[in-house]
Amino acid sequence: MQFGLLGKKLSHSYSPQIHQELGSFPYVLIEKQPEEVAGFLRSGTFDGLNVTIPYKKEIIPYCSELTPIAKTLGAVNTIVKRSDDSLIGHNTDYFGFQSMVIHSGLQVAGKKVLVLGSGGASVTVCAVLKAFSANPVVISRTGENNYENLSRHMDASAIINTTPVGMYPNTGVSPIDLNMFPNLEGVLDLIYNPSETKLLTDACERGLIAENGLWMLVSQAKESAQWFLGKAIDDTCIERIYKKLQLQSKNIILIGMPGCGKSTVGTLLAQKCNRNFVDTDAEIVKRAGKSIPEIFNDQGEEAFRQLESSVLEDFGKSSGLVIATGGGCVTRAENYRSLHQNGNLFWLQRPLTELSTEGRPLSIRTELETMYQVRKPMYEKFADYSVWNTASPEETVTLILQILEEDL
Ligand code: NAP
């Protein structure tokens, strides 16, 4: 059998990997221009297809039957070829978002929910919310309810982002200021790259329910695979595939005092799990064209920290890297979001007496003990996990991998 994803411009997609896990494989990416779609649907060899931008509506005339959900939403993201070569169209995004709401734990019944954006995903999200007895209000740049009159909706309980604002590579921006909504219980973002958009970081900082769109992506794929294969697939696979993708796509980031072994452990870790390694201090030296002591001497610490923040933002939004950071990166609050948007952060700890001070300007100038007392709460705030690097680097690498695998 042959499956795939049909769209106009398909960049990196998780779908082939997800469908391999689900058994709906081989699964290929099929890029077609609008004028090529009809011919491909007539003569292309496929048993089932997912359909994405911009063909979710355009595909409808080629379907001889639509499921009730696809008909209601006026959009098809899954087609199956039947034995007589006719096509049936379905919409699995509905199931995907329904599953995401349940997974997030957000209770929406009887509550006002702001849905940002008025495109295809917004229609699906509103239909699901209504089925959960919520009261969705679409916020559109050009609509009756827009970003200029949000004060009308200060009583909102939840916000769902269906706009592309905050998506890779344009990360670090949010479509809305959460401070306006005192009754907010949760925020869901359909974006899954980066895993934590600025909107979700803001929600986490307020202690709200916050969930990205990866669960929705995997859930809708599971529903598609059931249609492709004509058999039920156990729901438990959603969590397994979700966790695996989350782990693979997120960077592994090492933070900790200067000289605690981040570069050594990071290099080994990257080799062990076949990832690329980035040392942010080395990247700063490359960009500045001079050594770190020279940057401190010529331009001062503030200029160094500025450069460091831009390096952390650039690499923080990448995927699947091992990143060793400079010891002082935690001193700037803005670096928290840069590193957390797509990373699992490990605080590498080592007794102060065992820290290397060679070639490290701040370590030379400031007593390590004082520095540690100042930075300790910062490392605690930034870190997802804490690991002692007191045995061999190999053992520390094993420990980090064990911790990550336990989360699977
Ligand atoms: P779409 O049809 O292009 O709609 C996006 C909407 O967002 C637009 O209609 C627009 O609404 C608003 N928007 C666009 N650019 C904006 C900007 N710069 N500032 C503010 N609002 C802006 O796209 P879609 O198919 O609905 O997908 C929307 C997002 O959901 C995408 O990021 C997509 O990747 C994601 N998605 C995720 C999943 C999943 O499984 N996780 C599934 C489907 C979609 P207004 O003009 O009314 O403001």
Side-chain angles (χ1 to χ4, degrees):
M1 295 184 96
Q2 172 86 44
F3 307 103
L5 174 62
L6 173 66
K8 188 174 173 193
K9 181 94 195 78
L10 303 170
S11 45
H12 175 74
S13 168
Y14 289 140
S15 293
Q17 187 185 350
I18 298 174
H19 280 277
Q20 179 155 29
E21 298 273 350
L22 290 164
S24 31
F25 201 77
Y27 187 101
V28 291
L29 300 180
I30 305 157
E31 282 190 356
K32 295 288 173 202
Q33 292 304 309
E35 62 277 12
E36 298 172 315
V37 171
F40 174 74
L41 291 175
R42 261 195 314 274
S43 56
T45 42
F46 64 87
D47 298 285
L49 290 178
N50 286 126
V51 181
T52 188
I53 297 169
Y55 302 131
K56 288 185 180 183
K57 283 188 193 305
E58 281 72 3
I59 207 86
I60 290 176
Y62 301 99
C63 299
S64 41
E65 189 186 337
L66 296 182
T67 61
I69 287 174
K71 210 177 278 179
T72 305
L73 299 176
V76 161
N77 78 336
T78 302
I79 53 176
V80 173
K81 196 186 269 185
R82 296 187 284 207
S83 51
D84 63 355
D85 279 356
S86 67
L87 303 177
I88 177 164
H90 186 35
N91 192 309
T92 68
D93 281 339
Y94 184 93
F95 175 86
F97 183 66
Q98 191 181 45
S99 179
M100 178 179 175
V101 174
I102 295 167
H103 181 250
S104 72
L106 193 59
Q107 300 297 320
V108 293
K111 296 177 187 166
K112 182 187 273 192
V113 180
L114 303 188
V115 179
L116 311 183
S118 66
S122 171
V123 174
T124 307
V125 162
C126 288
V128 171
L129 290 171
K130 282 181 192 153
F132 278 124
S133 304
N135 168 25
V137 176
V138 173
I139 306 297
S140 161
R141 290 168 298 177
T142 53
E144 184 198 337
N145 292 297
N146 54 59
Y147 297 91
E148 307 306 318
N149 59 28
L150 284 172
S151 55
R152 292 177 179 180
H153 303 297
M154 283 163 60
D155 55 339
S157 297
I159 293 176
I160 320 291
N161 180 36
T162 76
T163 79
V165 179
M167 186 162 68
Y168 179 87
N170 303 314
T171 63
V173 285
S174 168
I176 203 162
D177 178 1
L178 299 185
N179 286 322
M180 289 187 71
F181 309 99
N183 299 337
L184 218 49
E185 295 168 27
V187 177
L188 309 184
D189 197 332
L190 267 56
I191 294 170
Y192 47 84
N193 184 17
S195 75
E196 194 178 288
T197 55
K198 176 160 189 320
L199 177 67
L200 291 183
T201 304
D202 291 349
C204 288
E205 283 179 352
R206 286 162 179 76
L208 305 175
I209 288 174
E211 170 138 347
N212 71 27
L214 188 58
W215 188 276
M216 175 176 174
L217 182 76
V218 178
S219 300
Q220 68 75 27
K222 188 226 126 177
E223 174 79 359
S224 291
Q226 292 189 149
W227 277 71
F228 291 161
L229 302 171
K231 64 174 189 187
I233 300 173
D234 198 296
D235 270 354
T236 53
C237 72
I238 298 173
E239 181 151 22
R240 179 180 57 78
I241 298 170
Y242 164 83
K243 284 187 168 176
K244 191 170 174 179
L245 282 175
Q246 190 97 281
L247 183 61
Q248 275 175 10
S249 59
K250 283 174 98 166
N251 300 311
I252 305 174
I253 300 178
L254 306 178
I255 59 170
M257 288 287 281
C260 71
K262 299 181 292 280
S263 299
T264 309
V265 170
T267 306
L268 266 176
L269 183 59
Q271 281 166 7
K272 185 96 179 169
C273 47
N274 205 19
R275 292 177 179 231
N276 288 327
F277 174 66
V278 174
D279 186 322
T280 58
D281 277 352
E283 188 60 29
I284 292 166
V285 169
K286 205 195 297 173
R287 290 192 190 182
K290 50 181 132 174
S291 71
I292 292 177
E294 282 170 338
I295 303 172
F296 269 76
N297 283 335
D298 299 351
Q299 296 160 264
E301 184 180 351
E302 187 50 31
F304 171 82
R305 295 282 168 225
Q306 194 69 39
L307 191 50
E308 181 178 52
S309 289
S310 74
V311 167
L312 295 176
E313 173 59 33
D314 289 350
F315 287 103
K317 67 183 170 189
S318 311
S319 291
L321 299 173
V322 173
I323 302 175
T325 58
C329 75
V330 292
T331 57
R332 275 197 163 197
E334 71 196 71
N335 295 339
Y336 179 88
R337 190 203 50 76
S338 298
L339 294 173
H340 270 271
Q341 63 183 320
N342 216 29
N344 283 312
L345 269 73
F346 285 83
W347 175 18
L348 226 54
Q349 299 215 58
R350 201 169 193 170
L352 296 183
T353 49
E354 292 178 28
L355 296 179
S356 154
T357 55
E358 211 184 307
R360 299 175 193 278
L362 279 184
S363 326
I364 293 164
R365 286 196 228 117
T366 318
E367 282 294 318
L368 276 178
E369 178 62 39
T370 316
M371 183 195 275
Y372 179 71
Q373 289 312 329
V374 172
R375 289 187 183 173
K376 186 169 175 270
M378 299 173 184
Y379 289 130
E380 281 166 351
K381 174 175 165 28
F382 272 56
D384 297 307
Y385 310 96
S386 163
V387 168
W388 281 90
N389 184 30
T390 41
S392 67
E394 287 79 6
E395 283 171 273
T396 305
V397 166
T398 305
L399 200 57
I400 290 172
L401 292 175
Q402 266 170 4
I403 290 171
L404 289 173
E405 267 154 33
E406 270 165 24
D407 265 2
L408 268 180

